Amino acid sequence: MIGMESFVGSAVSALPTPCCVIDRSIVEANCRAMAERAIRLGCVLRPHTKTHKTLEIARMQTRGSARCVVVSTLAEAEFYANGGFDDILLASLITPSKLPRCAALHNRLSQFHVYVDSSSAVEALRAHAHLLRPHHRAVPSVAASSPSGGEEVHGGAAEGEPASCVWSVFLAVDCGYNREGCGHDDPQSLQLALDIAAGPHTTLAGVYSHSGHTYQCRDPEAIRRVGEEERDRLAEFAKSLAARGVVVPCVGVGSTPSCCVPPDHLDGITEMHPGNYCLLDYMQTQIGSGSLRDVAVFVLARIISHNPARRTVLVDAGALALSKDLGCSSSPPSYGYVVDHPSWTIVGLTQEAGKIALGEDDRTPVTVGQTVRIVPNHSCLTCACHDYFFVVDGSDVVTAVWRPVRGW
C-alpha cells in the first residue's frame, strides 16, 4: 500500500484521485484576517475546528496558542486535548451517555466546557458530578456589587464547593436561527441561566449563539443585519443576567458569514466563534463571505468518461468525495464549482462518480485521465469525506499531508 506521505514533493497533477487539497498559504491568510478582525472588534476569537479537524489548522486559527477553541464532537475534543490544546468548548448538546467522556476531559484540562439548552441537561450534569476528580482550579465565584445592588456572582461555584466538582457550562441561546438554544426573550431562559450559575455542581461560563441563518443571506448587507440582530439579542440577554446579579464571563456570537462581514461593532459581546472561514467554499463566495481566491480547498478528480453526443463527462469524484450538499442551489444547481470551467455544471453524483454537463458553447478539449479541480459547495462536509489532506503552499507542489480526526 502506498503511503500518502510518499507524494510529498510531487506535483498536484500526480496525486491519486479523488483527493482533497488544501493551500496552506490561503489558510494562513484567512486565519490572520479573522484574528485581526476580532482584535478590531474587541473580541476574543474562539475558532470552531469542525471544518478541518486537524491540529495544523487549529494551531493557525489560535495563532499558535493552542487555546480557546470550539469542537463539535467528543472525538475532536479528545484529539485536541491529546494534541496539547486547552480551553475547549464542546458546542454540541450533551446527553447523559456522553458525560463520562466529558468528565475525563474536565479532569485532564484546565478548562473544558459543555453546552446545554435545557434543565434536563443541567440535571444530568449534576447527577454525574461524582465523575469529576478533585483538583485545584481557579474559578471566580463572588465579586463586587452588581448593578442591581446585590452580590455579583460570576457564574461560579457555590461558596466552599471544590471547583473541581463543578461543570463549566455554556448556555445555548437562540437569537433567530431556530435550531438549538433557549429563547433569547423567554423568561424561562433567564431562569435556566440563573439556575446554572447558582449551582450546585455547575457554573455559567458563557452564553453562546450561532447565527446559522446567515447562510440564507445573499449579500453583505443582509449578513450584517443578521449579525446586528444576534449581537443585540445576546447582549441584552447577558445584560438581563447582570441586572439579576450574574455576570457571564463569555458572551459569544457568530458564524463565518457574520464574522467575515461583521456589524460595525460588537458592544456587549466578548467572543466570536466562526469556523468555516479558514478554508471557505463555493457557498461562502455566493453568500458574500469571500471570493474564489480566498477558498483554500479543492477536490482533485480525473475524467473517466466523455460522451460528446450528450456533452457530458464523468469524473471519479462522487458523493463520497464531494458530499451531496447543493449549497446555495445556484441555477442550474451544481454540486461544486469546476475551476477554469465556469460553464461546466456538476449535475449528478453517485457514490463514486460525478456527472458534469459541459457548457453549450464550451469547446474545451476533453480527454479521459484529464484532471479537474472542484471547489466544494460546503467544505465542512467535503473535508469529512477524506481521511487525509494533501497540502500545498502557494504552488502546485505537495509539501505535507495532514490527517484529520474522525468519528464521534
Side-chain angles (χ1 to χ4, degrees), residues 222-278:
I223 294 172
R224 285 193 184 93
R225 285 193 297 271
V226 171
E228 290 167 356
E229 181 180 70
E230 180 188 36
R231 173 201 65 201
D232 293 345
R233 288 176 172 180
L234 196 65
E236 182 61 30
F237 187 85
K239 184 178 177 181
S240 296
L241 286 173
R244 289 161 174 79
V246 173
V247 175
V248 186
C250 300
V251 182
V253 299
S255 63
T256 285
S258 67
C259 292
C260 285
V261 189
D264 292 338
H265 69 85
L266 287 178
D267 294 351
I269 303 302
T270 67
E271 285 190 357
M272 47 195 282
H273 43 248
N276 181 275
Y277 72 94
C278 56

Side-chain angles (χ1 to χ4, degrees), residues 85 88 347:
F85 280 72
I88 298 172
V347 294

Side-chain angles (χ1 to χ4, degrees), residues 327-343:
C328 292
S329 297
S330 55
S331 183
S334 181
Y335 291 99
Y337 175 83
V338 185
V339 178
D340 296 329
H341 301 285
S343 66

Side-chain angles (χ1 to χ4, degrees), residues 156-178:
E159 189 172 357
E161 183 180 358
S164 60
C165 294
V166 177
W167 294 99
S168 180
V169 181
F170 273 63
L171 178 64
V173 180
D174 180 14
C175 291
Y177 186 28
N178 298 326

Side-chain angles (χ1 to χ4, degrees), residues 5-248:
E5 282 73 10
S6 66
F7 289 97
V8 172
S10 299
V12 167
S13 59
L15 294 175
T17 53
C19 66
C20 188
V21 181
I22 292 176
D23 191 322
R24 180 190 181 109
S25 66
I26 300 177
V27 175
E28 288 181 329
N30 291 344
C31 290
R32 182 169 55 252
M34 188 62 73
E36 292 171 352
R37 194 173 295 122
I39 291 171
R40 177 174 61 81
L41 292 166
C43 286
V44 171
L45 177 61
R46 182 183 289 275
H48 211 309
T49 63
K50 75 179 182 71
T51 298
H52 55 88
K53 307 190 184 196
T54 66
L55 293 172
E56 292 84 357
I57 296 180
R59 291 186 184 114
M60 285 187 261
Q61 288 179 296
T62 59
R63 313 304 288 165
S65 72
R67 293 188 61 83
C68 197
V69 296
V70 188
V71 299
S72 59
T73 68
L74 276 166
E76 292 168 39
E78 292 159 347
F79 174 73
Y80 286 111
N82 291 339
F85 280 72
D86 210 324
D87 191 357
I88 298 172
L89 165 61
L90 174 63
S92 292
L93 297 171
I94 56 96
T95 62
S97 63
K98 296 176 181 176
L99 291 180
R101 290 169 70 187
C102 289
L105 286 160
H106 172 279
N107 291 340
R108 66 185 289 200
L109 298 173
S110 67
Q111 293 186 73
F112 175 73
H113 317 284
V114 294
Y115 183 69
V116 305
D117 70 353
S118 67
S119 58
S120 59
V122 176
E123 291 167 5
L125 290 172
R126 289 172 179 157
H128 288 78
H130 64 280
L131 298 174
L132 306 182
R133 188 177 64 232
H135 63 87
H136 292 291
R137 180 175 302 168
V139 177
S141 54
V142 179
S145 296
S146 72
S148 60
E151 285 188 324
E152 187 176 278
V153 180
H154 287 261
E159 189 172 357
E161 183 180 358
S164 60
C165 294
V166 177
W167 294 99
S168 180
V169 181
F170 273 63
L171 178 64
V173 180
D174 180 14
C175 291
Y177 186 28
N178 298 326
R179 192 177 66 175
E180 79 268 12
C182 53
H184 68 93
D185 55 354
D186 186 344
Q188 292 185 358
S189 302
L190 283 175
Q191 188 54 53
L192 178 57
L194 294 170
D195 180 50
I196 295 169
H201 303 304
T202 55
T203 179
L204 186 61
V207 291
Y208 183 108
S209 170
H210 173 57
S211 53
H213 46 313
T214 51
Y215 286 88
Q216 305 304 314
C217 298
R218 294 296 178 269
D219 63 79
E221 284 310 309
I223 294 172
R224 285 193 184 93
R225 285 193 297 271
V226 171
E228 290 167 356
E229 181 180 70
E230 180 188 36
R231 173 201 65 201
D232 293 345
R233 288 176 172 180
L234 196 65
E236 182 61 30
F237 187 85
K239 184 178 177 181
S240 296
L241 286 173
R244 289 161 174 79
V246 173
V247 175
V248 186

